[in-house]
Amino acid sequence: MDIKKRILEGDRLALAKLITMAENNRPEATEVIKEMYYRTGNAYLIGITGLPGAGKSTLTAKLAKAYSKMGKKIGIVACDPTSPYTGGAILGDRIRMQELFTDPNIFIRSMGSRGHLGGLSKGTRAAIRAMDIFGMDYIFIETVGVGQSEVEIAGTADTTVMVLAPGLGDDIQAMKAGIMEIGDIFVVNKADREGAEKTSREIEAMLDLNERSSWRPRVILTVAQDNKGIEDVLYAIDEHMRYLKDSGIFDNKRRENIKNELLELLTQNIMAEIMSGLSKEDLMGIVDKVAKRELDPYSASTDIIKQTRIGGCR
């Protein structure tokens, strides 16, 4: 099928097909995105991250539905962890977002992380590009459920929403050197539970010690399941978007995110080039030499590069 033509006509099946092809590293998908790249850059990217069980999927669903009621076109990329043993993913976000499936303004794509670190999936950026080309106004990127090192979302989204829940206690202190520093908006979800106000105060206190810019992250109490606080989050997202654009930070942030994307693609392409010129037997032979201490890993990696076309270009 002519995917380009059908995407321009608003065919959701064509969009799904393009994302699947991109996820599977099909060169046809790369060509389509390359040819239609001029249509990207219009969607506003909202990252939804935080600890597992905090209610990220429910919050995302409620925010998407609210934007849809405003007549906006919404894309959702929901990343789920992939089993390191079976390679499968439960894709539970699909279950929690069932109410959105019949909404013509909302397109949901769940994808397994496939071992990719950082809280996102390897195909996340390609999915975002495809949805942007399709004409989405807002694209939500929901992470796997992060730990301290999984901060890739901050280098992808325009606004990062950190979702927490009451009763974290010392967990917030443990998080402060990592993901607590990337939130533009903090949402304490499940605020009908005991300890919500205390958690909110703890976050505010930590933010007092971490003034990194003229933007002070908002801390919002929500009960997403009951639609409580959703309007406050929408307002905070809009407020942060205005701040980025009025201050001139938006364009610089977008340029930095493009740099991150380019470096990621370079890494993928270089690794593919190296592995294409290295047989499994040769690789295991080098591994055996390193294991026997006949060769150090630094020299081994240099030797591998020299054996490829990349090394020959030096």
Side-chain angles (χ1 to χ4, degrees):
M1 64 179 178
D2 187 344
I3 288 185
K4 290 185 292 183
K5 181 174 181 293
R6 290 177 62 177
I7 282 179
L8 291 175
E9 293 172 349
D11 188 332
R12 292 158 65 97
L13 289 177
L15 173 59
K17 179 68 174 178
L18 177 59
I19 294 174
T20 297
M21 290 165 61
E23 247 193 311
N24 294 325
N25 295 319
R26 294 274 296 277
E28 307 98 293
T30 302
E31 288 305 313
V32 170
I33 293 175
K34 282 164 63 176
E35 291 177 26
M36 303 184 77
Y37 186 77
Y38 69 93
R39 289 175 57 86
T40 65
N42 298 310
Y44 193 77
L45 311 182
I46 303 169
I48 305 291
T49 189
L51 297 178
K56 298 187 300 298
S57 296
T58 304
L59 179 67
T60 300
K62 298 299 183 182
L63 293 172
K65 194 164 188 175
Y67 276 129
S68 175
K69 287 181 179 178
M70 300 177 196
K72 303 298 183 182
K73 293 177 66 177
I74 312 300
I76 300 174
V77 182
C79 302
D80 273 320
T82 298
S83 168
Y85 302 106
T86 66
I90 296 175
L91 302 182
D93 297 317
R94 283 184 174 273
I95 300 170
R96 289 182 283 273
M97 296 184 187
Q98 286 185 57
E99 63 178 304
L100 305 182
F101 289 154
T102 57
D103 192 318
N105 289 331
I106 300 176
F107 180 90
I108 305 171
R109 183 57 181 239
S110 296
M111 49 180 59
S113 60
R114 299 190 181 186
H116 184 75
L117 300 177
L120 301 180
S121 165
K122 187 177 180 180
T124 299
R125 292 188 192 275
I128 292 169
R129 293 297 180 212
M131 291 181 182
D132 202 356
I133 288 169
F134 193 75
M136 298 303 183
D137 297 301
Y138 294 90
I139 298 174
F140 287 91
I141 308 120
E142 183 191 335
T143 71
V144 166
V146 300
Q148 276 186 276
S149 63
E150 296 173 316
V151 295
E152 186 180 356
I153 187 63
T156 303
D158 298 313
T159 294
T160 300
V161 180
M162 181 69 61
V163 187
L164 304 171
L168 291 175
D170 291 341
D171 289 344
I172 291 182
Q173 292 297 321
M175 290 159 55
K176 67 181 179 183
I179 60 172
M180 290 298 287
E181 297 178 356
I182 68 171
D184 299 305
I185 299 166
F186 288 85
V187 172
V188 180
N189 193 32
K190 305 180 181 180
D192 51 342
R193 295 183 179 181
E194 184 179 354
E197 292 287 351
K198 181 175 181 291
T199 300
S200 176
R201 289 195 300 271
E202 288 174 349
I203 296 170
E204 292 281 10
M206 288 184 57
L207 292 174
D208 288 339
L209 301 174
N210 187 36
E211 292 289 351
R212 69 183 191 279
S213 72
S214 55
W215 171 257
R216 164 78 180 205
R218 307 295 183 248
V219 181
I220 302 168
L221 295 171
T222 67
V223 184
Q225 189 171 354
D226 298 332
N227 273 312
K228 294 180 180 177
I230 299 302
E231 288 188 5
D232 294 334
V233 179
L234 291 172
Y235 180 82
I237 291 171
D238 185 60
E239 185 183 25
H240 185 248
M241 178 170 60
R242 290 198 308 270
Y243 159 76
L244 291 177
K245 293 183 176 181
D246 292 347
S247 64
I249 294 173
F250 182 78
D251 290 336
N252 290 333
K253 185 176 175 63
R254 280 280 174 104
R255 285 169 64 87
E256 185 66 22
N257 290 353
I258 288 172
K259 184 192 80 172
N260 293 333
E261 183 178 11
L262 283 174
L263 290 175
E264 182 179 313
L265 288 171
L266 278 171
T267 300
Q268 292 175 11
N269 291 338
I270 289 171
M271 279 300 299
E273 181 69 35
I274 290 173
M275 297 310 295
S276 68
L278 186 68
S279 68
K280 184 177 180 180
E281 292 75 17
D282 289 340
L283 175 61
M284 293 313 298
I286 294 171
V287 169
D288 287 341
K289 287 183 178 180
V290 174
K292 293 175 182 177
R293 302 302 188 270
E294 295 173 3
L295 184 66
D296 66 88
Y298 305 100
S299 300
S301 62
T302 301
D303 291 344
I304 289 172
I305 292 173
K306 286 179 178 178
Q307 293 174 24
T308 66
R309 187 170 62 184
I310 294 172
C313 292
R314 288 177 143 191

